[in-house]
Amino acid sequence: MATRAIVTSQPDIACFVCGRRLLRGEQPEVFLVDGRPQNVCELCAPRAAHQGWPRNGAEGLKDEPDLQQRVRPGLFSRLWRGPQPRPRGGRARARPVAARAPLDADRDAAVEAPAFGVAADRTEPLHDAAEPASPGAIEHAALEHALEAFNRGEYPRRVAGLTRSLGVPEVSAIYDRHLSVVTIVVAWELCWYRYRVDLDDPELEARMVGEGRTLEQLPRHERLANATIGDAGALSLAVAAV
């Protein structure tokens, strides 16, 4: 009795945002980009929604009720909002009580004394009086943290080996303050690799999320080099990016 081979086919689907090939059984979400349907993986769906891309067959995601829940305010993104106003009805800070000056002393030399049980610390400013960090400073700190996480991992050794064979690559680091993630792209003429660092992850480590063979596969904003590579494959921000 002749046997028949059963061949299953799985379409090769790549995410439009990160370029990662979807695994078997992983269902993509379809968004309309410039009027054309594009496949997006589940990890990049919140980012696609934030870009304002409507789902295929839907009017848009701006009025979607769970959009704010999917875009999480990360550690660095919370710094963008600056100090928040103090709630009303809270516990008031005790004010220092002025001490009565001696009768034989000049009234102008009287010094305020703290109330009983209240520490007289005037050097530390109140939290709500602090100035919010500038957007440039927050972005620079986020990129520095992400590159440090990349350098602590296993990927610098691979990057160093490819550099010896293919030459110095283009390196770009992009901070997304809405998702609190940094995307790192290391690209040569013959190949490229994309890594991602979640700044809200307690482990704070880089993970590879995509790779390709031609530079034309990369969007333009990932071709803008703003980092350099050292001898051991460690990455650092370029001087112009500070």
Side-chain angles (χ1 to χ4, degrees):
M1 180 177 179
T3 59
R4 295 171 55 187
I6 300 176
V7 179
T8 60
S9 60
Q10 175 73 12
D12 190 7
I13 301 176
C15 176
F16 179 76
V17 177
C18 66
R20 179 178 64 87
R21 291 180 174 84
L22 273 64
L23 302 176
R24 181 180 300 274
E26 185 177 2
Q27 297 297 328
E29 299 189 32
V30 182
F31 290 83
L32 291 179
V33 182
D34 296 332
R36 301 180 58 183
Q38 301 292 349
N39 294 314
V40 177
C41 67
E42 295 181 359
L43 298 178
C44 296
R47 183 173 183 179
H50 178 75
Q51 294 292 334
W53 297 341
R55 295 181 185 274
N56 189 15
E59 296 181 356
L61 292 178
K62 294 184 178 180
D63 298 330
E64 193 167 328
D66 61 339
L67 177 59
Q68 297 296 333
Q69 298 178 0
R70 289 192 290 170
V71 181
R72 1 179 223 121
L75 171 63
F76 284 90
S77 60
R78 290 195 295 267
L79 295 177
W80 283 81
R81 298 181 297 185
Q84 301 298 312
R86 300 177 62 184
R88 299 193 178 188
R91 188 174 182 179
R93 182 187 293 269
R95 294 181 175 272
V97 180
R100 179 177 297 177
L103 297 178
D104 56 349
D106 190 358
R107 290 183 179 272
D108 296 335
V111 180
E112 291 185 346
F116 179 76
V118 179
D121 187 2
R122 298 177 180 271
T123 59
E124 183 179 357
L126 298 178
H127 175 71
D128 53 0
E131 293 294 332
S134 64
I138 295 176
E139 180 178 4
H140 180 75
L143 296 179
E144 288 282 3
H145 278 73
L147 293 181
E148 290 176 1
F150 178 89
N151 294 336
R152 290 195 302 266
E154 58 180 324
Y155 301 116
R157 180 181 302 177
R158 175 192 299 176
V159 171
L162 291 173
T163 300
R164 288 190 292 268
S165 303
L166 303 178
V168 179
E170 297 178 355
V171 182
S172 66
I174 306 166
Y175 172 52
D176 188 332
R177 66 185 182 92
H178 299 285
L179 299 179
S180 190
V181 298
V182 173
T183 302
I184 303 172
V185 177
V186 185
W188 292 268
E189 290 292 337
L190 300 178
C191 61
W192 56 266
Y193 296 91
R194 181 186 289 112
Y195 307 92
R196 186 164 296 167
V197 179
D198 187 350
L199 299 175
D200 288 339
D201 187 356
E203 298 180 0
L204 197 65
E205 61 180 0
R207 295 180 173 87
M208 192 177 72
V209 295
E211 61 180 308
R213 297 304 177 193
T214 61
L215 296 179
E216 288 75 13
Q217 296 173 331
L218 294 174
R220 177 175 298 181
H221 69 278
E222 292 186 352
R223 294 287 309 276
L224 301 178
N226 62 346
T228 58
I229 181 173
D231 295 336
L235 306 181
S236 60
L237 283 180
V239 177
V242 178

